Amino acid sequence: MTTRTAEKVLSFEEALAGFDPTMGLEVHVELNTVSKMFCGCATGFGAEPNTQVCPVCLGLPGAMPVVNEKAVESAIRIGLALNCRIASWCRFARKNYFYPDMPKNFQTSQYDEPIAFDGWMDVEVDGETVRVEIERAHMEEDTGKSLHVGGATGRIHGADHSLVDYNRAGIPLIEIVTKTIPGTREKAPLVAKAYVAQLRDLLLALGVSDVRMEQGSLRCDVNLSLAPAGSGQLGTRTETKNVNSLRSVERAVRYEIARQAALLQSGVPIVQETRHWHEDTGVTTSGREKSDAEDYRYFPEPDLVPVAPSTEWVDELRASLPEPPRERLARLQREWGFSDLEMRDTVGAGALVLVEETVAAGAAPGAARKWWLSELARRANERGAEVADLGVTPTDVARVQALVDEGRINDKLARQVFDGLLAGEGTPDEVVEGRGLAVVSDEGALSAAVDRAIADNPAVADKIRDGKVAAAGALIGAVMKELGGKADAGQVRELILAKLI
Amino acid sequence: MPEITRAEVAHLADLARIDLSDTELDHLAPQLVVILEAIASINDVAADDVPPTSHPLPLTNVFRADVVRPSLTAQEALSGAPVEPEQQRFSVPRILGEEA
Amino acid sequence: MTELTRRTAAELAEALASGETTSVELTQSHLDRIADVDAAVHAFLHVDAEGALAAARASDERRASGPPASTLDGVPIAVKDVLATRGLPTTCGSRILEGWVPPYDATVVARLRAAGLPILGKTNMDEFAMGSSTEHSAYGPTHNPWDLDRIPGGSGGGSAAAVAAFEAPLAMGTDTGGSIRQPAAVTGTVGAKPTYGGVSRYGLVALANSLDQAGPVTRTVLDAALLHEVVGGHDLMDSTSIDQPLPAVVAAARQGATGDLSGMRIGVVTELTGEGYQPGVQQRFDESVQLLVDAGAEVVEVSCPTFVHALATYYLILPAEASSNLARFDAMRYGLRVLPEGIEAPSAEDVMRASRDRGFGDEVKRRIILGTYALSSGYYDAYYGQAQKVRTLVSRDFAAAFERVDVLLSPTAPTTAFRLGEKLDDPVAMYLNDLATIPANLAGVPGISVPSGLADEDGLPTGVQVLAPAMADDRVYRVGAALETLLTRRWGGPLLARAPELAPALRGASA
Ligand SMILES: [Mg+2]
Ligand SMILES: [Zn+2]
């Protein structure tokens, strides 16, 4: 059914010449409550299959849900942080459809009465602010997880049966839906990515979710449509699921623009359908067509009573909100002394929180930025991953910088420490130890190496004796070469000058 | 009030995931028409300003604290499975339609 | 039949307290009675002799060494098969749940166990409680002990018949549109539907969540009140459970048993009498009203105009909620799995369709389709949405009536027990049985049905229903007990004493 071969696409530039993209983003956030949305089962990631289930989340006959208060609280806080209005009275609803990973064959969700609605978030892209309007944020529950057996690829197609683990079923989700975002043109992919990145930072600051995209605790669906450039119309949209990294958000938007443009240009109408994003190949493929299968037969969940947050409760939660993103950015820029450009690059690389935490762990802001934005961002890029997902922690980075500051390693050795960290060789200190990376600080050994360099390069030594200090570079190079780079260049230079002048 | 046709019943059976036979469809469609006629009377009973009742008692805000309670054991959870579980998971026939 | 099985639960509790009998003895005597008559009655789907006797032994040991766990400690009970029982099969009368053994107890069941009541077994019912005759059970119908060719009412015909046939002194039922009260009426027993939220629904396999309520099925009003006190009250596992102390139902039943109703204002519901009610039913009802007047009650006629739409409203709300509740029976995690014929390597979807076709009976399919229709896009407002509005009007009718009177009164069911098979293929005729009981479920108010005598034309039991405002369950017990006392005096003994003797089957033939 699925065609794995890439469809015909236009170049991004060509696509935009003919069409205006409009997008909408749906983000599902798993809350970090210790128990599930409607039962007391634990929510920890990675437990043995079907050990965090009970009659309620297994949908056993007779079982009944009870709402987790912390989840409602988190939903309201998210709503407030997104500048939403909070419903004074709302209900849960049943969304009826059959799927083996959904124990009751309905999802307990919210329909026309979301807990939060009509909000916005300002997103910074290339120094420009784009206001993303939030339609709603509502509470619902996650599904179980299927493992497909018998197929060659472990995928659903070709599998002869599936194995279902319901540990994830019933974990609280907040679904955050934007209104359509028009008029972003060539910036659309970046706006999408920046929105998700900024939302992630916000959720992290709220402390309501682990927001681990690679573990699925933050998942994104991209709705995208094209209309003839300048027409002001709205085209038929596709809904791309499974866009589960920041990088993919940008790529998926870019790909759908190019794909839809190619179809429209050759006169083929867009079908309203669900599509699936493939991280590996960078394409979307057709899922099911939206048709009568979409008749979810919503109705108010009779087993749950309405949620009616009091003004006092909402005010209390509002008072507990962290600093709003813009104010926070301004404050951090002030505290760190970054230029506008430095600040923008930091945000753009998805490294704001990482830098913040690295600074909190003791590193100077400039050093923290340098490591995350140059060294680690480059490696993330090579791997097609997000810098946050490399597995190197802010504490690690702060420690590496501390080792440099202590003179135990130099910048060049520090890069090798990062190699070791990425290779899973332990803590920075363990990598330095294991790889023997500490600089030679033994005065005798250094002095001997300098003497040899002077002896080997008499002409250079003479120049320096004549006052041409700049020539010292050649001797430093020779010393470093002999010591395999494990020396502090400044210290070597001082030694050379002391011996010759 | 719309009449319910045989085709419509077939569609509803599809939505409800019930494999109705032709005989069952033949039997069911006219019965549903009779039932719908019998209940059609309510259409003009309530004025637009009457609020709907979804819950018989006016309770709100019934919550539980975010506290972990013991789950079933995997063995208990899987005890009703219609076929032998594999890898401590429920074994279900191949799933159509969506990419996981 | 031993003399023990004829006694009321209250009497048995006294006999246990005085040491006249033991729980093992009276549990065994009920198991013997089941062995004697259940082949003919078929009230039980599953009998748990071993479990019941073990609980009885534990109860006797408890009494020997200290205070009992409750007033009913040691008195055995039968439980409708719609309540989840850990370790005991729970089928809801459906093929799709054949052999399912829940890994957990319903709250009601947990409270019964904690109170020391041995569970004799699980009683028959219309499949998923859809029906008024127990003929829609996948395991065959239950027979009315008054006439084995007739229905015992439904959906809780098994619980009512078990109590009427002296197979159990107490039973648990559930009432979504009358499934406790209507079987009580046609079997000459007592059935009480508590206020919605008064008894936990956790572990009650939902038919229509906003209507369902579990309650006692007994032979006397006092027994019903005693059982109500054991199972009722707030439950954290049921979000719709009322977080208030239970009304003093036992005290009310004792007060009513004095036969004095001075100061009580009683309303007879115009829309629930007269036309459509069998003459013998109406006659016994009118006599009951006169008795209440004689007992000092002030009786007036009260009109509840929206009640005529209650049946239609109910048959939209119930199927809608049920269609969603029953979606979970999909052959994936529990229950029947059927592989469709003629399909190689069937998908999960194929298996769901085939299993649901084979596993559900006709009435269940009928209501699932109807509910799916009522909720589907384009029809929701006209059907489900409209029904929810009429529901509001029904509640307003009750509210207005209860400003004038303390309780409302009507016949429980429009007819006496009809013959098995008589209405099986006429769903609308079948639905009419619940005409009088449904309004209480729509509004969530409590009700009780007590025997009012035998209809002249067929000699079969009739019942009177008493309804009260939400959380005023005590009133239905008071009025019900008064009526019971006055009628029993007139009859010179309980109505059930007039039921025909059931011929004991040969021991062993009725396993
Ligand atoms: Mg959703
Ligand atoms: Zn659970």
Side-chain angles (χ1 to χ4, degrees), chain A residues 26 28 95 107 109-110 138 140-141 173 175 298:
Chain A
E26 289 176 25
H28 285 87
K95 181 180 184 180
Q107 183 189 33
S109 180
Q110 293 195 286
H138 73 246
E140 58 183 35
E141 57 178 338
L173 289 180
E175 180 176 333
Y298 283 101

PDB file of all heavy atoms in Angstrom, chain A residues 26 28 95 107 109-110 138 140-141 173 175 298, ligand 1:
ATOM      1  N   GLU A  26      -0.334  20.585  15.435  1.00  0.00           N
ATOM      2  CA  GLU A  26      -0.960  19.928  16.583  1.00  0.00           C
ATOM      3  C   GLU A  26       0.148  19.235  17.346  1.00  0.00           C
ATOM      4  O   GLU A  26       0.850  18.397  16.797  1.00  0.00           O
ATOM      5  CB  GLU A  26      -1.983  18.888  16.133  1.00  0.00           C
ATOM      6  CG  GLU A  26      -3.236  19.499  15.537  1.00  0.00           C
ATOM      7  CD  GLU A  26      -4.199  18.442  14.998  1.00  0.00           C
ATOM      8  OE1 GLU A  26      -4.143  17.289  15.481  1.00  0.00           O
ATOM      9  OE2 GLU A  26      -4.965  18.771  14.098  1.00  0.00           O
ATOM     10  N   HIS A  28       1.111  16.993  20.689  1.00  0.00           N
ATOM     11  CA  HIS A  28       0.664  16.176  21.821  1.00  0.00           C
ATOM     12  C   HIS A  28       1.791  16.126  22.839  1.00  0.00           C
ATOM     13  O   HIS A  28       2.902  15.731  22.510  1.00  0.00           O
ATOM     14  CB  HIS A  28       0.330  14.752  21.381  1.00  0.00           C
ATOM     15  CG  HIS A  28      -0.972  14.649  20.646  1.00  0.00           C
ATOM     16  ND1 HIS A  28      -1.078  14.843  19.288  1.00  0.00           N
ATOM     17  CD2 HIS A  28      -2.215  14.380  21.088  1.00  0.00           C
ATOM     18  CE1 HIS A  28      -2.348  14.697  18.925  1.00  0.00           C
ATOM     19  NE2 HIS A  28      -3.057  14.414  19.987  1.00  0.00           N
ATOM     20  N   LYS A  95     -14.288  10.008  22.187  1.00  0.00           N
ATOM     21  CA  LYS A  95     -14.012  10.025  20.758  1.00  0.00           C
ATOM     22  C   LYS A  95     -14.001   8.556  20.317  1.00  0.00           C
ATOM     23  O   LYS A  95     -13.081   7.808  20.644  1.00  0.00           O
ATOM     24  CB  LYS A  95     -12.654  10.687  20.520  1.00  0.00           C
ATOM     25  CG  LYS A  95     -12.242  10.794  19.078  1.00  0.00           C
ATOM     26  CD  LYS A  95     -10.863  11.463  18.991  1.00  0.00           C
ATOM     27  CE  LYS A  95     -10.449  11.674  17.546  1.00  0.00           C
ATOM     28  NZ  LYS A  95      -9.125  12.312  17.457  1.00  0.00           N
ATOM     29  N   GLN A 107     -11.418   7.124  22.843  1.00  0.00           N
ATOM     30  CA  GLN A 107     -10.418   7.871  23.592  1.00  0.00           C
ATOM     31  C   GLN A 107     -11.163   8.865  24.462  1.00  0.00           C
ATOM     32  O   GLN A 107     -12.051   9.575  23.968  1.00  0.00           O
ATOM     33  CB  GLN A 107      -9.482   8.611  22.629  1.00  0.00           C
ATOM     34  CG  GLN A 107      -8.364   9.367  23.337  1.00  0.00           C
ATOM     35  CD  GLN A 107      -7.582  10.270  22.392  1.00  0.00           C
ATOM     36  OE1 GLN A 107      -8.152  10.809  21.444  1.00  0.00           O
ATOM     37  NE2 GLN A 107      -6.307  10.430  22.636  1.00  0.00           N
ATOM     38  N   SER A 109     -11.329  12.183  25.779  1.00  0.00           N
ATOM     39  CA  SER A 109     -10.678  13.395  25.300  1.00  0.00           C
ATOM     40  C   SER A 109     -11.601  14.565  25.613  1.00  0.00           C
ATOM     41  O   SER A 109     -12.494  14.445  26.444  1.00  0.00           O
ATOM     42  CB  SER A 109     -10.457  13.234  23.784  1.00  0.00           C
ATOM     43  OG  SER A 109      -9.825  14.352  23.244  1.00  0.00           O
ATOM     44  N   GLN A 110     -11.355  15.689  24.968  1.00  0.00           N
ATOM     45  CA  GLN A 110     -12.304  16.793  25.074  1.00  0.00           C
ATOM     46  C   GLN A 110     -12.691  17.188  23.659  1.00  0.00           C
ATOM     47  O   GLN A 110     -11.874  17.062  22.745  1.00  0.00           O
ATOM     48  CB  GLN A 110     -11.683  17.986  25.808  1.00  0.00           C
ATOM     49  CG  GLN A 110     -11.400  17.684  27.273  1.00  0.00           C
ATOM     50  CD  GLN A 110     -11.141  18.970  28.051  1.00  0.00           C
ATOM     51  OE1 GLN A 110     -10.087  19.568  27.916  1.00  0.00           O
ATOM     52  NE2 GLN A 110     -12.109  19.391  28.846  1.00  0.00           N
ATOM     53  N   HIS A 138      -6.340  20.870  24.983  1.00  0.00           N
ATOM     54  CA  HIS A 138      -7.292  20.023  25.706  1.00  0.00           C
ATOM     55  C   HIS A 138      -6.637  18.783  26.289  1.00  0.00           C
ATOM     56  O   HIS A 138      -5.542  18.400  25.908  1.00  0.00           O
ATOM     57  CB  HIS A 138      -8.491  19.679  24.811  1.00  0.00           C
ATOM     58  CG  HIS A 138      -8.194  18.691  23.719  1.00  0.00           C
ATOM     59  ND1 HIS A 138      -8.236  19.023  22.391  1.00  0.00           N
ATOM     60  CD2 HIS A 138      -7.875  17.377  23.765  1.00  0.00           C
ATOM     61  CE1 HIS A 138      -7.941  17.959  21.671  1.00  0.00           C
ATOM     62  NE2 HIS A 138      -7.720  16.943  22.465  1.00  0.00           N
ATOM     63  N   GLU A 140      -6.447  14.757  27.209  1.00  0.00           N
ATOM     64  CA  GLU A 140      -6.859  13.450  26.726  1.00  0.00           C
ATOM     65  C   GLU A 140      -5.890  12.393  27.236  1.00  0.00           C
ATOM     66  O   GLU A 140      -5.055  12.672  28.093  1.00  0.00           O
ATOM     67  CB  GLU A 140      -6.989  13.434  25.192  1.00  0.00           C
ATOM     68  CG  GLU A 140      -5.725  13.807  24.453  1.00  0.00           C
ATOM     69  CD  GLU A 140      -5.939  13.833  22.930  1.00  0.00           C
ATOM     70  OE1 GLU A 140      -7.025  14.219  22.462  1.00  0.00           O
ATOM     71  OE2 GLU A 140      -4.991  13.473  22.217  1.00  0.00           O
ATOM     72  N   GLU A 141      -6.016  11.171  26.725  1.00  0.00           N
ATOM     73  CA  GLU A 141      -5.179  10.071  27.211  1.00  0.00           C
ATOM     74  C   GLU A 141      -4.450   9.440  26.039  1.00  0.00           C
ATOM     75  O   GLU A 141      -4.931   9.447  24.908  1.00  0.00           O
ATOM     76  CB  GLU A 141      -6.043   9.024  27.914  1.00  0.00           C
ATOM     77  CG  GLU A 141      -7.152   8.493  27.004  1.00  0.00           C
ATOM     78  CD  GLU A 141      -8.010   7.413  27.633  1.00  0.00           C
ATOM     79  OE1 GLU A 141      -7.548   6.763  28.578  1.00  0.00           O
ATOM     80  OE2 GLU A 141      -9.129   7.206  27.151  1.00  0.00           O
ATOM     81  N   LEU A 173      -2.257  13.277  28.239  1.00  0.00           N
ATOM     82  CA  LEU A 173      -1.757  14.067  27.116  1.00  0.00           C
ATOM     83  C   LEU A 173      -2.464  15.419  27.126  1.00  0.00           C
ATOM     84  O   LEU A 173      -3.632  15.496  27.473  1.00  0.00           O
ATOM     85  CB  LEU A 173      -2.107  13.399  25.786  1.00  0.00           C
ATOM     86  CG  LEU A 173      -1.427  12.116  25.341  1.00  0.00           C
ATOM     87  CD1 LEU A 173      -1.991  11.691  23.991  1.00  0.00           C
ATOM     88  CD2 LEU A 173       0.081  12.318  25.249  1.00  0.00           C
ATOM     89  N   GLU A 175      -3.250  18.091  24.191  1.00  0.00           N
ATOM     90  CA  GLU A 175      -3.135  18.357  22.759  1.00  0.00           C
ATOM     91  C   GLU A 175      -3.255  19.860  22.556  1.00  0.00           C
ATOM     92  O   GLU A 175      -4.257  20.464  22.950  1.00  0.00           O
ATOM     93  CB  GLU A 175      -4.221  17.605  21.976  1.00  0.00           C
ATOM     94  CG  GLU A 175      -4.118  17.861  20.477  1.00  0.00           C
ATOM     95  CD  GLU A 175      -5.110  17.049  19.650  1.00  0.00           C
ATOM     96  OE1 GLU A 175      -5.526  15.963  20.088  1.00  0.00           O
ATOM     97  OE2 GLU A 175      -5.471  17.527  18.555  1.00  0.00           O
ATOM     98  N   TYR A 298     -18.648  11.788  18.877  1.00  0.00           N
ATOM     99  CA  TYR A 298     -18.337  12.394  20.180  1.00  0.00           C
ATOM    100  C   TYR A 298     -19.595  12.534  21.030  1.00  0.00           C
ATOM    101  O   TYR A 298     -20.651  12.898  20.520  1.00  0.00           O
ATOM    102  CB  TYR A 298     -17.792  13.797  19.973  1.00  0.00           C
ATOM    103  CG  TYR A 298     -16.365  13.896  19.514  1.00  0.00           C
ATOM    104  CD1 TYR A 298     -16.058  14.139  18.185  1.00  0.00           C
ATOM    105  CD2 TYR A 298     -15.318  13.801  20.423  1.00  0.00           C
ATOM    106  CE1 TYR A 298     -14.737  14.271  17.762  1.00  0.00           C
ATOM    107  CE2 TYR A 298     -13.996  13.941  20.017  1.00  0.00           C
ATOM    108  CZ  TYR A 298     -13.717  14.176  18.692  1.00  0.00           C
ATOM    109  OH  TYR A 298     -12.414  14.316  18.295  1.00  0.00           O
TER     110      TYR A 298
HETATM  111 MG    MG D   1      -6.258  14.171  20.092  1.00  0.00          MG
END
